[in-house]
Amino acid sequence: MDVQTTLILAAAGLTLTLAGALGGLARTRAPLSWHAHLPWNGIAFAGVAGALLAAVHLFNLLRV
């Protein structure tokens, strides 16, 4: 992967993390609505994992 792809992965990871956090907050506000049944914890985990992977890869790209 090059730097551009890594930055896209980092942005996608941060977006998923933010969406998961906001979805979790919305679930606590309205526990019986349609969005309360979506897997917000899994979405947030995927976002954090993607952002962490991109950060480590970006660090390794810039170190060389």
Side-chain angles (χ1 to χ4, degrees):
M1 287 192 311
D2 57 348
V3 175
Q4 183 179 8
T5 308
T6 304
L7 291 177
I8 291 171
L9 179 61
L14 292 175
T15 303
L16 281 176
T17 302
L18 183 63
L22 292 176
L25 287 175
R27 179 184 2 197
T28 58
R29 276 194 180 157
L32 297 178
S33 59
W34 65 271
H35 57 76
H37 302 290
L38 296 175
W40 295 113
N41 292 335
I43 293 170
F45 177 77
V48 169
L52 181 63
L53 175 76
V56 169
H57 191 265
L58 186 63
F59 177 73
N60 284 331
L61 282 175
L62 296 178
R63 187 177 56 159
V64 174

